Amino acid sequence: SERVSKIDQYKSEKPIATYFVSSADEFVSSGPNWPIWRWQNQWQALTEVIPVLKELGYHVIIKQHPNLLNKSWQEAARTNALTNSYGVTTIDALEKIPASKLIANSNIVLTWGSTVGVESIAMGTPVWLLSHCHYDSSIDIRMWPRSAHPKPEELEYAPDRLSAFEYFGHINSLGYSLESVSYTHLTLPTTPYV
């Protein structure tokens, strides 16, 4: 599609940072004692993080959550406001661009805790969390640095892909599955045994 070609073009011009919007109701089951890390919500976080990424030379893409189609228009308006304020590319909930395509074209992925973070690590793309999540101590994922000016080499670390596969295995062994993750494009990393 034309949109995918445009994303490929961005990749050739400058590094890409993709933020996958989380649906606000994804964390309802976590309860009121869920630890707040630094920001009260993902929109507050993005207003601080996007300018830093732009200053570092990244092209920022925001992928709206598919569940946004079931939300009020105000939710979409928040993303549109960021697009207008910071000149980022927004991929709305109706666009059928697979997460795996966006991940493959990204130098870094950011998330509020969506399972796309696990998929990104499995694909070898570094992930930065803007909030705590269920898997933040289980896989090789990082919390957004507290320093005001991280360096691109800090952000573009080489993740331990195997940690994501171990997490998938653990979830499956408990009888759960991650329906949002398509496993067909994932290949296990080859690791020499010592």
Side-chain angles (χ1 to χ4, degrees):
S1 83
E2 182 181 325
R3 187 68 141 178
V4 172
S5 308
K6 192 75 168 161
I7 292 166
D8 290 335
Q9 178 189 341
Y10 294 141
K11 177 81 172 176
S12 67
E13 294 170 0
K14 54 174 59 176
I16 293 179
T18 302
Y19 180 76
F20 288 85
V21 173
S22 291
S23 181
D25 54 6
E26 280 184 279
F27 303 100
V28 170
S29 65
S30 302
N33 296 325
W34 190 254
I36 299 294
W37 181 65
R38 184 169 168 184
W39 298 286
Q40 294 297 314
N41 59 56
Q42 62 189 325
W43 310 110
Q44 181 187 28
L46 288 172
T47 59
E48 288 185 35
V49 171
I50 289 172
V52 172
L53 291 169
K54 300 280 278 183
E55 185 180 309
L56 291 171
Y58 286 93
H59 181 82
V60 179
I61 296 174
I62 297 177
K63 172 64 172 101
Q64 291 181 341
H65 195 281
N67 196 31
L68 192 62
L69 297 173
N70 303 318
K71 303 292 178 200
S72 71
W73 64 269
Q74 288 101 334
E75 287 293 313
R78 288 179 178 177
T79 305
N80 294 336
L82 289 171
T83 301
N84 296 335
S85 298
Y86 298 107
V88 302
T89 299
T90 299
I91 299 175
D92 71 36
L94 290 171
E95 292 186 66
K96 301 289 185 206
I97 299 175
S100 58
K101 175 70 175 173
L102 293 171
I103 295 165
N105 277 310
S106 298
N107 295 74
I108 63 171
V109 164
L110 299 103
T111 179
W112 190 254
S114 166
T115 53
V116 78
V118 183
E119 185 176 358
S120 299
I121 293 295
M123 290 178 65
T125 303
V127 176
W128 291 91
L129 288 173
L130 303 181
S131 175
H132 287 288
C133 69
H134 294 289
Y135 57 81
D136 61 10
S137 62
S138 303
I139 66 172
D140 187 14
I141 203 158
R142 314 279 167 90
M143 297 301 285
W144 182 256
R146 288 195 181 267
S147 69
H149 299 286
K151 295 176 176 55
E153 55 271 15
E154 285 179 79
L155 299 180
E156 295 182 27
Y157 69 95
D160 174 10
R161 294 180 57 223
L162 194 55
S163 68
F165 287 95
E166 289 169 344
Y167 180 79
F168 290 143
H170 175 70
I171 292 298
N172 288 330
S173 74
L174 296 173
Y176 300 106
S177 70
L178 299 173
E179 289 90 15
S180 62
V181 176
S182 168
Y183 299 98
T184 56
H185 62 280
L186 300 177
T187 56
L188 275 168
T190 54
T191 326
Y193 291 96
V194 229

